[in-house]
Amino acid sequence: MIPDPRASRAVLVGLDTYTGMTSLPAASHGTRRLSKLLRDLWGLPKSHITVLDAQASADGILSAVRDAAEATRDTLVVYFAGHGLRDQEGENLYLCLAGADPNYPQVGTVAYRDLRRVLRTAGASARYRLTVLDCCYSGLAGAMSPHGQATRDELARALGEPATPGSDPSEDYGDVVLTSAPHNRQSFALPGATYPEATGELIKILENGIPGVGPELSVTLAWQRVRKRLLERGSPAPQQFAQNTVADSLCFPNRAATTAAPAEVSGEAERYSTKLPGISTKIDQTQKNSEGGSSAVLAGVPESDWRPASVGRWRPEKEPRYPGDAYFKQQRAHLYLLDKAWADLKKEFKTVRRRLQVPFHVRSPSSIATWLHQNTGDSRWMVIAESIKVLEDRKKGYAPWTAADPYAAQVPGGSSPPSYQLTMETVNTYRERADQLRADINKLIDLHTDLQE
């Protein structure tokens, strides 16, 4: 859904000049271009956009975010481009201002933790909060940001505010954070480039759109395209962190759907064709896979209103703390149930590979779903791929960090016990999500093979 620009705000920060670090003219260029795109593409009023440059102070940035957040009822966009630093422990992200000291991350910077707190507190009434960070180590923001299911009333209670009268507890609501690099990698503005790498790819997608995916372009689909293009050139992988299904629900206009018919867009039109609702069984001898064989060329199917349910984020932080070694026998039984649910989901992809003629060398479930997205143009496969990655990371925080005798007492220097207690309630939730995903996969397979069968 495209948000209401009249009830939305944006704060864009581009730092191009530094006293103790290299200059980044591309950062300010990208900020100005994004500001214009938000006006021209989305219709955001100029008075609703705050653009800050190298003259901005930490207080100035935080105040601008506070003011914009308090005025937002629909979507708040916060963008930062410039240098980024991490502390010695590699746990905290700092956004560098003009006077930043590369040897002391706390000097001349805005701590992302502070920005996040201001954004969440002042933006409690905003429906969506989109943060885009184009700086080194920006992936740290994912670990420092809230995840999981969160309703408007739940966040209001957490912030000590009254619940919204008549609010729907199932309403999709929350944050999405996009970062140009993982937590341990630098991101780049190539010499002579007009924009930083990730920002530049995002600008291209907003300017040109994506053919064949409908009039609205979701944050997930746009950022997956940014990620794909950067990975193809060997750059760090952009990251996406989202609550609920915000990244799929939050959309912007797709210029490819409004400025040209798919058949008029060279190259992309054929790949994302929606004219053939079935799956092609012919083999294109000119398309070779990495093992030297040939693979089936899939045709896309029209995307109806139905979309698979996104699993969201899988985090154990809501669980009670692990009570001790005496509990591990029950913990191990619960882990077995998680493993079985995951194994049943993996089996589903044997059917996917067979019915949709996925090449033999594409093996893992997430790789299969990603391959189908790339070869059919059906963005619903990317929702499946992201959900698979979430469910695959099922043991994080629930299993010992290293192999150890589960009944032996922990000794100094020994292996660390699980961090969280895995309750049966969480196991059942996991199995329900896995079953829902399996049902969505089967429905999507049927859409692609309906005419063939």
Side-chain angles (χ1 to χ4, degrees):
M1 180 180 67
I2 297 175
D4 181 3
R6 297 167 299 177
S8 302
R9 298 292 191 278
V11 178
L12 311 178
V13 184
L15 277 292
D16 56 353
T17 304
Y18 290 88
T19 57
M21 307 174 76
T22 58
S23 297
L24 293 174
S28 61
H29 294 161
T31 302
R32 290 195 296 270
R33 182 57 186 150
L34 284 175
S35 173
K36 190 173 189 307
L37 279 171
L38 291 178
R39 299 195 305 270
D40 298 345
L41 178 65
W42 182 15
L44 195 63
K46 188 174 182 179
S47 60
H48 289 195
I49 304 174
T50 301
V51 179
L52 301 175
D53 56 20
Q55 304 302 316
S57 64
D59 287 345
I61 292 174
L62 295 178
S63 297
V65 171
R66 176 201 61 198
D67 295 343
E70 289 178 343
T72 301
R73 293 299 176 267
D74 196 316
T75 299
L76 173 65
V77 177
V78 175
Y79 168 85
F80 175 86
H83 285 297
L85 294 172
R86 56 181 177 174
D87 57 16
Q88 189 172 8
E89 294 78 18
E91 296 177 351
N92 294 289
L93 174 67
Y94 297 87
L95 310 179
C96 296
L97 305 181
D101 187 333
N103 298 315
Y104 298 93
Q106 297 80 5
V107 176
T109 61
V110 174
Y112 173 73
R113 191 179 301 277
D114 293 338
L115 175 66
R116 182 198 66 187
R117 286 171 178 165
V118 171
L119 191 151
R120 291 186 67 202
T121 305
S125 297
R127 182 176 186 183
Y128 299 137
R129 297 181 296 239
L130 171 62
T131 304
V132 184
L133 303 176
D134 196 339
C135 63
C136 296
Y137 314 116
S138 50
L140 282 170
M144 299 166 64
S145 299
H147 303 292
Q149 302 296 323
T151 66
R152 188 183 297 272
D153 288 352
E154 287 172 343
L155 291 182
R157 286 194 296 269
L159 296 169
E161 300 173 348
T164 305
S167 63
D168 181 359
S170 64
E171 179 186 13
D172 192 22
Y173 174 74
D175 293 83
V176 55
V177 179
L178 306 177
T179 71
S180 61
H183 70 284
N184 58 351
R185 296 286 302 277
Q186 295 179 319
S187 55
F188 301 98
L190 300 177
T194 306
Y195 310 122
E197 271 200 304
T199 297
E201 294 300 335
L202 179 61
I203 287 173
K204 289 179 185 177
I205 291 168
L206 294 177
E207 287 178 336
N208 304 315
I210 299 178
V213 298
E216 298 183 0
L217 192 59
S218 71
V219 169
T220 292
L221 187 56
W223 203 245
Q224 286 295 336
R225 183 58 59 88
V226 172
R227 178 184 174 90
K228 179 176 181 292
R229 289 178 175 174
L230 264 62
L231 288 176
E232 286 175 347
R233 68 178 68 151
S235 299
Q239 307 291 303
Q240 174 179 300
F241 309 90
Q243 284 181 302
N244 307 321
T245 59
V246 174
D248 297 319
S249 303
L250 177 56
C251 300
F252 295 94
N254 181 15
R255 277 190 169 172
T258 58
T259 60
E264 297 174 348
V265 184
S266 64
E268 293 285 327
E270 182 176 356
R271 180 179 176 188
Y272 290 96
S273 171
T274 59
K275 295 180 179 180
L276 300 177
I279 175 173
S280 174
T281 59
K282 295 182 179 180
I283 301 297
D284 184 352
Q285 298 297 334
T286 63
Q287 181 178 352
K288 305 294 182 180
N289 61 33
S290 62
E291 295 182 348
S294 55
S295 61
V297 180
L298 303 180
V301 296
E303 291 198 29
S304 63
D305 293 336
W306 175 82
R307 293 185 67 81
S310 174
V311 168
R313 299 293 298 176
W314 183 252
R315 298 289 186 187
E317 282 78 359
K318 291 185 178 180
E319 300 283 10
R321 300 296 298 185
Y322 180 69
D325 295 331
Y327 179 80
F328 194 81
K329 186 175 181 179
Q330 182 180 353
Q331 184 97 339
R332 186 171 63 176
H334 290 171
L335 287 169
Y336 169 80
L337 295 175
L338 281 188
D339 286 340
K340 187 177 185 305
W342 169 247
D344 291 342
L345 179 61
K346 286 182 66 177
K347 289 179 182 177
E348 204 69 48
F349 281 85
K350 292 183 179 180
T351 303
V352 176
R353 294 182 71 255
R354 175 178 56 82
R355 292 182 62 184
L356 299 188
Q357 304 176 28
V358 178
F360 180 79
H361 69 279
V362 182
R363 306 294 296 175
S364 70
S366 60
S367 297
I368 291 172
T370 302
W371 185 91
L372 287 167
H373 168 247
Q374 294 172 349
N375 285 271
T376 66
D378 193 333
S379 64
R380 290 171 291 196
W381 282 114
M382 187 51 63
V383 177
I384 298 292
E386 290 302 314
S387 295
I388 290 166
K389 292 175 184 176
V390 170
L391 292 179
E392 187 174 19
D393 189 21
R394 62 199 178 280
K395 291 185 178 180
K396 185 176 182 181
Y398 299 135
W401 294 355
T402 58
D405 179 356
Y407 304 107
Q410 296 296 324
V411 297
S415 63
S416 299
S419 299
Y420 301 98
Q421 176 182 343
L422 178 56
T423 63
M424 196 61 203
E425 180 182 0
T426 297
V427 171
N428 289 332
T429 300
Y430 183 95
R431 292 195 291 193
E432 289 171 1
R433 293 182 180 183
D435 288 344
Q436 178 61 53
L437 187 58
R438 290 170 62 190
D440 288 342
I441 290 169
N442 280 307
K443 184 171 182 177
L444 199 47
I445 292 174
D446 290 340
L447 288 175
H448 281 275
T449 59
D450 186 47
L451 290 188
Q452 179 188 10
E453 297 180 348

